[in-house]
Amino acid sequence: MKPTDPNKNIPEEFKAFKAEVKVASPGRINLIGEHTDYNQGFVMPAAIDKKIYFQFRKNNYNLARIYSETFDAYTEFKLQEITKSSNSWENYLLGVIDEIQKLNKQLEGFDCIMRSELPIGAGISSSAALECGFAGGLNSLFNLELTPMDIVKLSQRAENNFVGSNCGIMDQFASVMSKKDHFIKLDCETLEPKFIPAKIENCKLLLVNTNVSHNLADSEYNTRRKECEDVVAMIQQKYTEVQSLRQVSFEILEEFRDQIDATSFKRCQYVLEENERVRQTEKALQDANLKSVGQLMYASHRGLQHQYEVSCPELDFLVDFSEDKDFIYGSRMMGGGFGGCTINLIEADKIKAYIEEVEKVYKAKFNITPTAITVVPDAGTQITKV
């Protein structure tokens, strides 16, 4: 594959681009249920009203030609020559093409223009939006007959196998399958979704981006996953039916306390407690008890901070600062950790003043200006044939 040259002029034909397929692929939030998906537990994500937009058309060159308006970067490569790129954003697309071709689906030359309104590194899963939107567009352009679940799974495999991030399935599932104005209580063992109306009354969801990304994120993510899997392997020696932490009860975990190192024990304890918090959040939403939802969000953050240890000083500061505000019902870190956003359940009419206040204190503390956006639960990937 040719490396991207951001200064290379894009082909002349791109300047009058007549799309055959258009795609809007959303980012996602996760209200609660963090680091539980790869443990086959429960999560509660939703797609959001911030998206990546794609335009596709066929070409006659047996080349994939892709232009990112966001990065002002162009790349092209032969479909039979898929190798890893030094430019990270390209690898999500290359991985999708690789997985499609492994399914013996036939791709031909195509052009694609992309534009993103998703901040990178904010924990709203721009990578899944990129993968799923790209896969969905190619599926429509070439009539590949992939189902939505096929797109979810191949996009996850692209990130696992090609990009090298051992992520669970939550991000891709939410990006494709979400319904407008609903959260998804997703069972990551059965992949059965339960759609819960996002009745948050006078509140909105505010994301406050720390604008930091500590380089621990990828390595520590994979470490946490291995810590959980090692405990499962130990428990399996006695309870052969156990395939993941999902089948482990508090009683079984306690039974193995003396055999498990203290760090791994608290990791697993967090996962079991977080699964329970997702269940409780479902009930609280159905009862329109937003104060309970908020308390569960704070408890989730403290578990991520002290038991799973994937938070960072900047995230903790934002959560701590929110906690004595009676107009903020809940706050927690969201995403893999070590940076990214907090998600806040906040009364809508207080948002403007709070953003001004939090920007000031955060800048004074870290000499970084945070950025804030409000998001609304929205529909999954939308594909239009032109």
Side-chain angles (χ1 to χ4, degrees):
M1 173 185 166
K2 298 177 184 176
T4 297
D5 178 359
N7 302 310
K8 177 178 176 177
N9 291 327
I10 67 171
E12 193 67 29
E13 310 101 289
F14 271 59
K15 293 170 184 175
F17 197 97
K18 192 166 190 245
E20 297 174 54
V21 171
K22 293 184 177 182
V23 179
S25 184
R28 68 100 190 97
I29 52 165
N30 187 30
L31 185 65
I32 198 162
E34 212 69 71
H35 287 274
T36 47
D37 61 341
Y38 56 81
N39 287 300
Q40 308 304 309
F42 293 104
V43 292
M44 195 172 284
I48 57 173
D49 57 335
K50 305 289 187 287
K51 307 174 194 290
I52 301 178
Y53 298 93
F54 300 80
Q55 300 179 70
F56 291 88
R57 69 180 182 195
K58 295 176 184 175
N59 67 38
N60 297 313
Y61 301 107
N62 196 34
L63 290 173
R65 305 190 301 178
I66 302 166
Y67 176 63
S68 167
E69 292 181 347
T70 309
F71 294 117
D72 189 22
Y74 172 80
T75 186
E76 64 179 47
F77 51 88
K78 292 180 181 176
L79 293 167
Q80 291 73 33
E81 297 176 11
I82 303 296
T83 55
K84 207 155 187 179
S85 170
S86 58
N87 297 289
S88 61
W89 67 271
E90 294 174 11
N91 286 320
Y92 298 100
L93 309 180
L94 289 160
V96 165
I97 291 173
D98 188 47
E99 291 297 333
I100 288 174
Q101 293 186 149
K102 283 178 182 173
L103 295 171
N104 294 318
K105 301 289 186 180
Q106 295 304 308
L107 296 175
E108 301 164 26
F110 67 90
D111 298 334
C112 175
I113 294 179
M114 305 182 308
R115 174 176 62 83
S116 176
E117 55 189 17
L118 299 179
I120 303 296
I124 57 177
S125 202
S126 55
S127 58
L130 196 57
E131 294 152 357
C132 296
F134 193 62
L138 293 176
N139 183 48
S140 180
L141 186 66
F142 294 111
N143 299 310
L144 302 179
E145 298 183 343
L146 297 168
T147 67
M149 187 54 78
D150 290 336
I151 288 170
V152 168
K153 289 181 175 179
L154 81 83
S155 296
Q156 183 199 14
R157 290 197 303 274
E159 192 152 342
N160 291 167
N161 300 334
F162 200 92
V163 178
S165 174
N166 206 11
C167 67
I169 204 165
M170 172 180 69
D171 296 349
Q172 292 81 6
F173 193 99
S175 189
V176 173
M177 301 292 198
S178 289
K179 289 185 180 180
K180 186 174 174 60
D181 297 325
H182 286 74
F183 297 110
I184 308 171
K185 182 195 174 194
L186 178 63
D187 181 334
C188 294
E189 182 178 52
T190 65
L191 296 184
E192 289 177 8
K194 183 173 182 181
F195 293 94
I196 301 166
K199 294 179 183 172
I200 54 175
E201 298 170 350
N202 61 327
C203 290
K204 286 196 170 178
L205 295 167
L206 174 70
L207 306 184
V208 181
N209 192 346
T210 61
N211 287 324
V212 299
S213 181
H214 296 286
N215 59 12
L216 289 166
D218 288 343
S219 62
E220 290 297 316
Y221 180 97
N222 289 333
T223 298
R224 295 298 179 279
R225 183 163 184 160
K226 186 174 188 306
E227 286 168 338
C228 294
E229 289 169 349
D230 287 349
V231 170
V232 169
M234 182 184 297
I235 292 172
Q236 275 177 332
Q237 293 174 21
K238 179 174 180 183
Y239 296 98
T240 55
E241 72 278 9
V242 168
Q243 298 300 310
S244 68
L245 282 179
R246 174 60 179 281
Q247 289 99 32
V248 176
S249 64
F250 287 102
E251 292 76 19
I252 290 175
L253 185 62
E254 186 63 37
E255 185 183 331
F256 284 82
R257 181 190 279 269
D258 294 339
Q259 299 170 53
I260 301 169
D261 68 88
T263 297
S264 295
F265 185 86
K266 70 180 179 181
R267 302 283 191 259
C268 296
Q269 192 174 46
Y270 160 78
V271 172
L272 269 58
E273 290 172 356
E274 186 78 345
N275 281 331
E276 188 56 37
R277 282 190 283 266
V278 176
R279 292 187 186 98
Q280 292 172 7
T281 300
E282 176 189 7
K283 183 176 187 308
L285 283 170
Q286 290 169 338
D287 293 344
N289 188 343
L290 297 188
K291 293 289 186 183
S292 288
V293 172
Q295 289 165 2
L296 290 159
M297 291 170 69
Y298 279 120
S300 173
H301 183 81
R302 298 309 175 197
L304 289 158
Q305 177 183 3
H306 299 300
Q307 292 168 283
Y308 222 65
E309 296 181 287
V310 291
S311 189
C312 63
E314 296 87 351
L315 288 166
D316 296 337
F317 177 87
L318 289 174
V319 172
D320 292 346
F321 186 72
S322 76
E323 204 159 12
D324 65 348
K325 308 286 189 290
D326 60 4
F327 55 86
I328 296 180
Y329 298 1
S331 178
R332 68 176 198 89
M333 62 153 275
M334 187 180 73
F338 304 103
C341 286
T342 61
I343 180 170
N344 303 269
L345 184 60
I346 180 172
E347 292 177 6
D349 61 350
K350 306 294 196 303
I351 289 174
K352 186 173 183 295
Y354 181 69
I355 290 173
E356 291 173 0
E357 184 183 13
V358 79
E359 280 180 353
K360 187 175 177 182
V361 297
Y362 186 84
K363 178 76 185 288
K365 175 75 173 175
F366 297 105
N367 198 29
I368 299 168
T369 301
T371 47
I373 56 171
T374 56
V375 295
V376 176
D378 206 354
T381 308
Q382 301 293 299
I383 301 172
T384 308
K385 278 204 167 184
V386 181

